[in-house]
């Protein structure tokens, strides 16, 4: 395994201005045309349900978001392309004067985000964007694209690593959703807890450890498996892990033992064997017995083959002595849940800086889609032993009730008194006046990985289990709960009755 130093982590050359849905640009022109382009707005990104039917999620994507903010400017080519788009009814879709405005526009928004690797939960803001409503709107799609995807992958990795309880290598590059998806998936997997990735470009770009062994083709390229193993051991005496299931696993283990003993005579060590097919739990136990009997107790056993958290837990429950795991397809593609489902909603507006904010609320025929009004943040409370006690969503411009009480957001009259507990606020500055202010250490995948491990350790065991996990308590500050209820009642009463 090799670790490189970060080289401008996240410094990909992708321009994000046109990584958007068309309606963001048409709305932007609408704001510009009716004189609302500079009206101040506050948007929040959040999700409504934990992914994978689990009890938590791992925030990820802030590093790419900072990159997006710094590189956000419309080029001449961007403007030329937008000018070429025709309206369905004929003529150009975009006003030339609006396109000239876009060409000169520079972001002035403020962005606050939860630090990567932080445990996050439904209905609480992960990212807050404030600034001119036109600019906030143009950031929506790309912001959701990077935070939704990376949070999903980081969460899947955390679950896999929880099940494994030993190092996990991510090697889903060949099955990932394209080149760009593979890069950020590899980084997010490490943020979630993976020890390394097979993705060499991700290692270079993000300063994360890379690891790998050999494929079946290496063995097949030689006339004899033992010859192939000997050749590999000679080439990599300090990093020799042999794949033993190209032909017959038992024979492969025997050949690996022969090579391991030869390496020992040369003062070297066979680091491990990898099994990539068959009854992995049974074969791991068999391999351990054979290796130990040969005196190679320091030779590790690596398992791979379409693994996920459930398969790994089953293998471990059967007592398989596994040193490390290789997890590819089901990690890099977030198998069994294709999307986090995070949303980006307007929650407050004001005419200009220094003016009072006016809360905005979206009501819906579905109660689950009722949004939260105001300029929001999250207080995270901890018990004296460091365990997480609960989160309170609050409006930063309103006073917090004396009892520091949270109310269940699902209109269940259940309160939790948090007074006296230590707390911290979760949203931290990511950009100010359109320029990223995220410190270098906050862009580090390895630092985020350490934060993930710390956060998972602070969860209750019932919140980490895979089957029917307990819900982590997240609620609204009491005053915010009542304001939202009053606003929702007023908006619903004002709607024209259906006829």
């Amino acid at each position: 395994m090799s670790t490189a130093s970060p080289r401008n982590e996240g410094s990909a050359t992708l321009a994000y201005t046109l990584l958007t849905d068309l309606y963001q640009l048409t709305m932007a022109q609408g704001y510009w045309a009716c004189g609302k382009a500079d009206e101040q707005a506050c948007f929040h990104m959040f999700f409504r349900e934990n992914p994978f039917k689990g009890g938590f999620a791992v925030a990820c994507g802030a590093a790419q978001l900072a990159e997006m903010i710094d590189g956000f400017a419309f080029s001449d080519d961007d403007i030329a392309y937008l000018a070429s788009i025709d309206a369905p009814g004929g003529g150009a879709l975009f006003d030339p004067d609006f396109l000239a405005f876009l060409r000169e526009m520079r972001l002035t928004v403020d962005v606050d985000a939860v630090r990567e690797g932080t445990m996050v939960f439904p209905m609480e803001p992960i990212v807050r964007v404030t600034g001119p409503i036109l600019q906030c709107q143009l950031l929506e799609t790309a912001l959701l694209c990077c935070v939704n995807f990376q949070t999903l992958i980081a969460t899947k990795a955390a679950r896999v690593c929880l099940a494994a309880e030993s190092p996990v290598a991510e090697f889903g590059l060949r099955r990932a959703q394209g080149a760009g998806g593979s890069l950020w998936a590899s980084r997010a997997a490490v943020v979630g807890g993976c020890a390394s990735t097979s993705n060499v470009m991700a290692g270079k770009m993000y300063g994360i450890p890379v690891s790998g062994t050999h494929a079946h083709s290496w063995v097949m390229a030689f006339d004899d498996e033992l010859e192939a193993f000997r050749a590999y051991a000679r080439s990599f005496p300090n990093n020799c892990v042999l794949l033993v299931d190209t032909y017959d696993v038992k024979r492969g283990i025997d050949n690996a033992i022969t090579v391991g003993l030869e390496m020992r005579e040369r003062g070297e060590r066979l680091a491990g064997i990898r099994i990539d097919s068959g009854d992995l739990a049974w074969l791991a136990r068999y391999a351990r017995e054979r290796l130990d009997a040969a005196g190679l107790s320091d030779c590790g056993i690596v398992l791979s083959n379409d693994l996920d958290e459930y398969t790994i837990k089953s293998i471990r429950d059967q007592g398989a002595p596994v040193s490390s795991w290789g997890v590819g397809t089901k990690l890099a593609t977030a198998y069994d849940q294709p999307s986090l489902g995070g949303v980006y909603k307007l929650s407050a507006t004001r005419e200009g800086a220094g003016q009072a904010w006016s809360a905005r609320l979206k009501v819906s025929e579905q109660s689950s889609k009722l949004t939260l009004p105001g300029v929001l943040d999250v207080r995270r409370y901890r018990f004296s032993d460091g365990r997480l006690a609960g989160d309170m969503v609050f409006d930063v411009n309103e006073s917090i009730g004396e009892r520091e009480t949270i109310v269940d957001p699902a209109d269940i009259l259940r309160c939790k008194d948090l007074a006296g507990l230590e707390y911290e606020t979760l949203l931290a500055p990511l950009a100010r006046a359109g320029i990223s202010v995220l410190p270098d250490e906050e862009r580090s995948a390895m630092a985020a990985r350490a934060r993930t491990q710390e956060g998972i350790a602070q969860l209750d065991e019932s919140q980490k289990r895979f089957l029917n996990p307990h819900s982590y308590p997240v609620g609204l500050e009491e005053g915010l709960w009542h304001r939202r209820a009053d606003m929702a009642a007023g908006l619903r009463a004002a709607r024209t009755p259906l006829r």
Side-chain angles (χ1 to χ4, degrees):
M1 182 167 64
S2 173
T3 307
S5 299
R7 296 179 57 179
N8 299 321
E9 182 172 330
S11 60
T13 57
L14 177 67
Y16 291 89
T17 45
L18 298 188
L19 189 65
T20 189
D21 296 300
L22 183 63
Y23 77 173
Q24 308 288 11
L25 288 158
T26 56
M27 283 191 289
Q29 178 166 298
Y31 292 135
W32 170 82
C34 64
K36 293 175 70 70
D38 292 326
E39 181 176 310
Q40 298 288 297
C42 177
F43 285 78
H44 295 94
M45 184 267 175
F46 61 94
F47 60 90
R48 296 188 176 101
E49 295 182 354
N50 283 319
F52 312 110
K53 299 180 181 179
F56 65 90
V58 178
C60 194
Q64 188 182 13
L65 187 53
E67 171 192 317
M68 180 179 79
I69 296 295
D70 284 338
F72 197 94
F74 287 88
S75 68
D76 291 338
D77 284 346
D78 294 338
I79 298 302
Y81 171 70
L82 294 177
S84 74
I85 300 175
D86 293 330
L93 180 63
F94 292 107
D95 187 314
D97 289 340
F98 169 67
L99 295 180
F101 165 83
L102 286 185
R103 185 67 186 93
E104 299 302 319
M105 186 191 76
R106 295 297 179 267
L107 290 183
T108 58
V109 295
D110 290 345
V111 182
D112 296 86
V114 173
R115 301 166 76 195
E116 290 189 306
T118 300
M119 301 296 105
V120 288
F121 304 94
M123 298 305 296
E124 57 188 26
I126 301 174
V127 183
R128 182 179 71 216
V129 181
T130 55
I133 191 169
L134 183 151
Q135 296 182 23
C136 295
Q137 199 75 67
L138 289 177
L139 291 176
E140 175 179 0
T141 301
L143 182 154
L144 286 172
C145 180
C146 74
V147 177
N148 270 331
F149 175 66
Q150 292 185 58
T151 297
L152 188 70
I153 299 296
T155 305
K156 185 68 169 181
R159 291 167 57 85
V160 167
C161 292
L162 267 174
E165 295 189 1
S166 52
V168 175
E170 178 275 322
F171 54 73
L173 172 57
R174 66 188 65 191
R175 306 285 174 76
Q177 319 295 21
S182 74
L183 288 171
W184 290 107
S186 293
R187 183 186 182 279
V190 170
V191 169
C194 287
S196 62
T197 178
S198 67
N199 190 333
V200 178
M201 185 177 287
K204 174 189 174 183
M205 290 180 64
Y206 308 128
I208 56 181
V210 294
S211 63
T213 56
H214 66 78
H216 295 293
S217 55
W218 172 268
V219 178
M220 297 165 65
F222 292 81
D223 292 335
D224 177 78
E225 183 179 60
L226 182 57
E227 179 189 356
F229 285 177
R230 283 171 169 157
Y232 196 81
R234 286 193 296 270
S235 296
F236 298 98
N238 298 317
N239 182 38
C240 185
V241 178
L242 300 174
L243 181 60
V244 298
D245 70 313
T246 302
Y247 303 121
D248 176 82
V249 177
K250 291 183 178 180
R251 186 177 68 187
I253 292 170
D254 288 342
N255 286 333
I257 288 172
T258 297
V259 172
L261 294 174
E262 292 172 352
M263 293 180 71
R264 174 169 292 180
E265 291 178 0
R266 297 195 297 265
E268 301 163 355
R269 183 177 76 87
L270 177 61
I273 64 168
R274 178 162 73 96
I275 306 173
D276 190 51
S277 62
D279 187 332
L280 296 181
W282 188 91
L283 289 170
R285 293 197 304 270
Y286 173 83
R288 184 75 275 156
E289 291 173 2
R290 296 286 294 129
L291 290 166
D292 289 350
L296 297 176
S297 58
D298 59 348
C299 176
I301 297 173
V302 183
L303 298 186
S304 54
N305 187 27
D306 214 22
L307 300 175
D308 62 9
E309 63 267 46
Y310 300 103
T311 307
I312 290 173
K313 184 178 184 304
S314 174
I315 291 170
R316 288 190 63 252
D317 287 346
Q318 295 173 65
V322 184
S323 304
S324 62
W325 311 79
V327 185
T329 302
K330 291 187 176 180
L331 173 50
T333 64
Y335 180 81
D336 77 4
Q337 179 160 341
S339 173
L340 178 67
V343 295
Y344 180 85
K345 297 298 182 183
L346 177 67
S347 61
T349 60
R350 60 181 178 179
E351 293 185 1
Q355 302 294 312
W357 286 99
S358 175
R360 301 289 181 176
L361 181 70
K362 174 187 176 294
V363 296
S364 172
E365 298 299 329
Q366 296 176 245
S367 60
S368 63
K369 290 193 172 184
L370 185 67
T371 62
L372 302 180
V375 181
L376 308 175
D377 204 333
V378 182
R379 276 190 182 182
R380 172 153 295 169
Y381 292 83
R382 286 184 168 82
F383 296 115
S384 58
D385 61 3
R387 289 181 300 115
L388 302 187
D391 289 357
M392 178 179 73
V393 181
F394 68 99
D395 189 327
V396 301
N397 295 314
E398 301 289 342
S399 60
I400 293 177
E402 294 181 0
R403 291 199 306 124
E404 295 189 21
T405 301
I406 61 174
V407 182
D408 189 290
D411 289 356
I412 301 170
L413 297 180
R414 177 177 62 83
C415 299
K416 183 170 184 177
D417 188 0
L418 300 173
L421 297 181
E422 293 184 357
Y423 65 83
E424 62 178 333
T425 54
L426 296 190
L427 295 181
L430 184 143
R432 288 293 179 265
I435 300 173
S436 70
V437 295
L438 195 67
D440 288 343
E441 60 270 19
E442 293 293 322
R443 300 172 190 247
S444 164
M446 300 309 289
R449 179 179 185 271
R451 198 173 298 117
T452 298
Q453 293 173 329
E454 180 182 6
I456 287 177
Q458 294 168 347
L459 291 174
D460 188 82
E461 291 300 318
S462 65
Q463 295 156 354
K464 294 185 280 189
R465 67 193 184 203
F466 300 147
L467 183 62
N468 299 323
H470 281 184
S471 297
Y472 177 84
V474 176
L476 309 183
E477 186 272 327
E478 190 170 16
L480 174 60
W481 187 88
H482 287 295
R483 285 194 297 277
R484 186 180 77 151
D486 291 344
M487 289 180 67
L491 289 168
R492 286 181 173 128
R495 292 191 298 182
T496 303
L498 295 174
R499 298 182 178 217

